[in-house]
Amino acid sequence: MRLPSDASEPTLHCNWQLLQLSLSLSLSLSLSPTTQTDTLCMMVSGQGQCRYMLARWQYLELAAVVCVWALAGGGGLISLQGSMAQLPGTWELLVESAGIASMHTAVTRFGTVVLLDRTDIGASQIDLPEGKCRDDAADKVLKHDCTAHSVEFDPSSNTLRPLFIFSDTWCSSAQFLPDGTLLHTGGDFDGFTKIRKFAPCPPQDGTCDWEELNQTQLAAGRWYASNQLLPDGRIIIVGGRSQFTAEFYPAGPDSSLLDLPFLRQVQDQQMDNLYPFLHLLPDGNLFIFANTDAILYDYMSGSIVRTYPRLEGNPRNYPSAGSSAMLALDSASGFADAEVVVCGGAQFGAFLESDVDRPAGGDCGRIMATDEAAEWAMEEMPFVRLMGDMVILPTGDVLIINGAQSGAQGFNLADNPCLNPVLYQPNAAVGLRFMTLTPSETPRMYHSTANLLPDARILVAGSSPHYYYNFTGPFPTQLKLEAFSPEYLSAGLADLRPAITGAPEVVEYGADFEVHFTVALPVTGIVEVNLLSAPFSTHSFSQGQRLVKLAVGTAQPSDSTSALSYSSVATAPPSSLVAPPSFYMLFLVNQGIPSVATWLQLVASS
C-alpha cells in the first residue's frame, strides 16, 4: 500500500465517517482493482495530525496512518488491497491442527473449549486414546473408527485432548445447564433424537468426556435446531429440519411437544427457517426470528404475544446464513430494554441455484424487541457478508467475523471469503457504528465458529465447506485454531487493563458483591462489572449468548499502601429473567479495556 506523498503533513486528518463514505463510494462506482489510487487519506484542514477512530476510545495520534481505500472487485464485492498493519486488532495462530474441523464450539467454566465435528465423515486427523474405538454398524463411511470427532482445547497451554462421542452430531444444538454441564441435542442419522452431556473438568484433571443418554431422548428428531436456557433452568429446543415444534429438557411428565406453526409459515422453497435465532427477553418471553419474520413467544402458554414487522431484504436463517445477537442488557434501563440485531445473509435463490457468485446482503436490522410498537432500523455494514459470526465483547460492542461475500450456506456453495472482521459499536452515532478491522489470512467459510475466551480474545475455529475432509483447493478443510485480539488488548493500553484479585464464585440474584482489582494507572471513573454467558457457536449463530451490565458503585481504593488497588460493589441481576441461572464470565471494563474474566455462578436465593 502506498502512502499519500504528503501523509506526514500536520494538516491531514483521517475521518472515520468520511472513510466509511469512501467504502460506499467504491461500491457504487464499481472501481476496478487496477485503479491507480489504491490509498486514500481523507483530508480536513486545520484538524491537526492524521488520526483514525478506534473502537471504544477517542481519536489516537499515530506517527503515520493509512486510511485504506477499498477497491471493488467483480460484482461490487469489496477487496481491501495492500498491507493492513494499521487496522485495529491482531491475529495469532494457536494450533496448526486441532485434528478436527469444529462446526460446534463452546467455552466451559474452566476456560477449556469443547470442539465438535460430525462423526460420519471417516477418520479425523487426531486419534482416540489407545484402546478406544468407535464401532458403529450404522456409520455410512467408517464402521470401526479409532479417531476422535470431538476434542477439548486448553487455551492456557494450547494443548488438545481427544474426546469420545458416538452418535452423529452433524448440525446439532446445545446449551449449558445451570450446573455448567453442556447439554447437546440432535444431529443426523443415529444422532437425530440423541441427548448428550459433557460435564467439564479442570484441565489438569483430564478425565471428563461425553456421556450419551440412552434412557432419555428427544421427543422429536432435530437437525438444525436452536437451544436456549430458560429462567427456570430448563432448556427449550426449537425447530429443526421439517420440525415445526419445540420441546424442553428436562421434559415434563407428558413429554409433549409445543406446536410452533410460525416455523411452518415462514418456510420457503429453500427452507430459510433452520437454526432460528432465539433471544430470551428480560420479560421472560422468547424472541424467535426465522427467514425474515419474528414473533414474541410465550413458551409457558404456547401462545404468540406479538408479531413483529417483517425485516425487509434477504432471508437471514439457514441456508441463507445471516447472524443475530441481542445487545447488552443494562442496569441503567432497569434491564427493561432488549435490542436485537440481525445482519447479512444470502440472496434468495443462491442456495436453490447453487450460485456461488451471487452477492450476499450487507444490511443490518436493529429492533427494540421489548417495545410494543417496535420497528426495524436499517444500517449498512462495510462488507456484504453471509455466514458471519456475531460475538458480543465485554465492552458491549459486537464483533462480526468469518464468512463469505457471495453464495449461500452449504457444501461448496460460497465464494469470496470475507477476511476482515468488523466491529459494531451500538452506542455510537448512526453512520459511525461500524469499524473495519485487521483481516485474517485464513478463509473461514461454511462450518466456522467464533467464541469469546475469558482473556477477551476471540477463538476462531473450523471451516469445512466440503462434505468430507478435503485439504486441496481454494477453501480447504481448516483444522487451524486462531485467536483474534481486538484493539483493547494492545500493549499500549495495558496500563488501563484491570486485573481481578478477588471476586466471589457464587452470587444470589439481587445480592451486592465486592470485586477487588488492581490497575497500573489511577481509576478516573466507573469500572464496569459485566457478565457474559458462554454460548454454543454453530452455523453463524451463538445460541444463548448474553451480556448483562450490572449496577456498580464508584471504585474505592482498597489498600492503604497502594493507590492502585481498588474494590467495587456490584449488584447481581434482580432475577433469572435477566440472566438465567448458570456460570458467567465476569469482566471488569475500565475505559473500554477489559480484564481477564473470572467465573461467577448465578443462583436463586437459598
Side-chain angles (χ1 to χ4, degrees), residues 320-592:
S320 292
S323 190
S324 178
M326 183 171 70
L327 301 180
L329 300 177
D330 200 328
S331 61
S333 68
F335 303 110
D337 297 335
E339 287 189 274
V340 171
V341 179
V342 179
C343 291
Q347 289 190 46
F348 179 80
F351 177 81
L352 284 177
E353 300 166 24
S354 301
D355 187 353
V356 301
D357 296 318
R358 192 172 300 187
D363 62 349
C364 291
R366 177 170 166 173
I367 193 168
M368 183 65 75
T370 46
D371 188 342
E372 291 185 4
E375 296 286 344
W376 292 98
M378 303 306 295
E379 301 177 85
E380 288 293 326
M381 296 186 288
F383 303 90
V384 298
R385 192 185 303 252
L386 64 107
M387 296 186 292
D389 288 284
M390 299 181 77
V391 180
I392 301 178
L393 302 181
T395 58
D397 294 337
V398 180
L399 184 74
I400 307 173
I401 196 168
N402 298 337
Q405 297 184 84
S406 64
Q409 220 162 15
F411 294 117
N412 300 305
L413 288 182
D415 203 350
N416 298 297
C418 199
L419 299 175
N420 286 82
V422 169
L423 189 72
Y424 179 70
Q425 302 161 92
N427 295 327
V430 175
L432 294 174
R433 289 177 176 163
F434 289 100
M435 171 170 287
T436 301
L437 308 178
T438 300
S440 170
E441 296 179 355
T442 306
R444 300 284 182 173
M445 309 287 275
Y446 187 41
H447 289 153
S448 306
T449 61
N451 296 73
L452 181 72
L453 294 174
D455 62 11
R457 293 179 300 169
I458 293 82
L459 176 70
V460 177
S463 190
S464 187
H466 313 286
Y467 193 88
Y468 299 111
Y469 281 12
N470 183 343
F471 301 104
T472 63
F475 309 124
T477 300
Q478 189 53 253
L479 307 183
K480 291 179 182 178
L481 299 182
E482 295 178 289
F484 179 75
S485 294
E487 187 74 12
Y488 58 48
L489 291 177
S490 66
L493 298 170
D495 286 348
L496 295 175
R497 188 165 301 120
I500 298 173
T501 56
E505 295 182 356
V506 181
V507 172
E508 295 180 351
Y509 288 106
D512 291 339
F513 64 95
E514 201 167 30
V515 181
H516 297 269
F517 62 97
T518 60
V519 65
L521 292 178
V523 169
T524 59
I526 294 292
V527 175
E528 296 179 16
V529 180
N530 298 339
L531 301 183
L532 264 159
S533 66
F536 180 77
S537 172
T538 187
H539 290 77
S540 309
F541 181 56
S542 288
Q543 300 178 17
Q545 185 169 221
R546 196 175 202 83
L547 170 62
V548 180
K549 293 193 169 191
L550 302 183
V552 60
T554 303
Q556 301 295 326
S558 60
D559 184 346
S560 59
T561 63
S562 173
L564 303 184
S565 294
Y566 296 89
S567 64
S568 291
V569 175
T571 303
S575 74
S576 59
L577 298 177
V578 175
S582 188
F583 286 85
Y584 292 81
M585 289 179 276
L586 184 153
F587 285 96
L588 299 183
V589 180
N590 178 34
Q591 299 183 57

Side-chain angles (χ1 to χ4, degrees), residues 114-438:
V114 177
L115 310 174
L116 270 165
D117 196 4
R118 298 159 52 194
T119 58
D120 64 336
I121 52 173
S124 73
Q125 302 291 300
I126 185 169
D127 291 334
L128 285 165
E130 188 174 352
K132 276 194 175 182
C133 291
R134 177 177 161 272
D135 291 299
D136 185 358
D139 195 294
K140 299 179 183 299
V141 181
L142 189 61
K143 302 183 187 305
H144 180 69
D145 185 0
C146 299
T147 62
H149 299 279
S150 178
V151 299
E152 179 190 73
F153 172 61
D154 180 5
S156 67
S157 60
N158 288 345
T159 54
L160 299 158
R161 183 171 66 90
L163 303 174
F164 183 89
I165 195 156
F166 188 85
S167 59
D168 187 33
T169 56
W170 184 9
C171 300
S172 48
S173 53
Q175 279 284 267
F176 284 102
L177 291 164
D179 68 356
T181 297
L182 184 64
L183 185 89
H184 188 257
T185 55
D188 198 15
F189 303 117
D190 61 351
F192 198 38
T193 59
K194 279 290 184 181
I195 299 176
R196 314 163 193 88
K197 286 185 175 182
F198 181 81
C201 55
Q204 62 271 20
D205 182 321
T207 59
C208 47
D209 212 334
W210 285 101
E211 173 193 2
E212 305 231 3
L213 306 187
N214 295 319
Q215 304 303 315
T216 306
Q217 58 182 9
L218 295 171
R222 298 195 185 272
W223 192 28
Y224 301 92
S226 295
N227 296 8
Q228 172 64 53
L229 179 65
L230 299 175
D232 59 9
R234 293 182 299 166
I235 290 173
I236 189 169
I237 307 150
V238 177
R241 192 162 185 170
S242 301
Q243 189 53 250
F244 312 110
T245 64
E247 62 181 284
F248 299 98
Y249 178 90
D254 58 358
S255 300
S256 60
L257 296 172
L258 287 175
D259 188 37
L260 252 178
F262 165 76
L263 294 176
R264 182 182 286 106
Q265 293 161 8
V266 297
Q267 180 176 252
D268 58 30
Q269 292 171 277
Q270 57 181 26
M271 297 170 290
D272 284 324
N273 65 342
L274 304 183
Y275 278 125
F277 303 147
L278 307 182
H279 300 294
L280 178 68
L281 301 191
D283 62 6
N285 293 312
L286 200 61
F287 179 93
I288 304 177
F289 185 100
N291 198 337
T292 58
D293 294 282
I295 58 171
L296 185 62
Y297 184 64
D298 181 350
Y299 55 83
M300 298 295 288
S301 65
S303 60
I304 295 176
V305 177
R306 185 179 311 141
T307 298
Y308 294 93
R310 172 164 293 173
L311 177 57
E312 298 300 331
N314 295 335
R316 310 288 177 163
N317 295 81
Y318 188 96
S320 292
S323 190
S324 178
M326 183 171 70
L327 301 180
L329 300 177
D330 200 328
S331 61
S333 68
F335 303 110
D337 297 335
E339 287 189 274
V340 171
V341 179
V342 179
C343 291
Q347 289 190 46
F348 179 80
F351 177 81
L352 284 177
E353 300 166 24
S354 301
D355 187 353
V356 301
D357 296 318
R358 192 172 300 187
D363 62 349
C364 291
R366 177 170 166 173
I367 193 168
M368 183 65 75
T370 46
D371 188 342
E372 291 185 4
E375 296 286 344
W376 292 98
M378 303 306 295
E379 301 177 85
E380 288 293 326
M381 296 186 288
F383 303 90
V384 298
R385 192 185 303 252
L386 64 107
M387 296 186 292
D389 288 284
M390 299 181 77
V391 180
I392 301 178
L393 302 181
T395 58
D397 294 337
V398 180
L399 184 74
I400 307 173
I401 196 168
N402 298 337
Q405 297 184 84
S406 64
Q409 220 162 15
F411 294 117
N412 300 305
L413 288 182
D415 203 350
N416 298 297
C418 199
L419 299 175
N420 286 82
V422 169
L423 189 72
Y424 179 70
Q425 302 161 92
N427 295 327
V430 175
L432 294 174
R433 289 177 176 163
F434 289 100
M435 171 170 287
T436 301
L437 308 178
T438 300

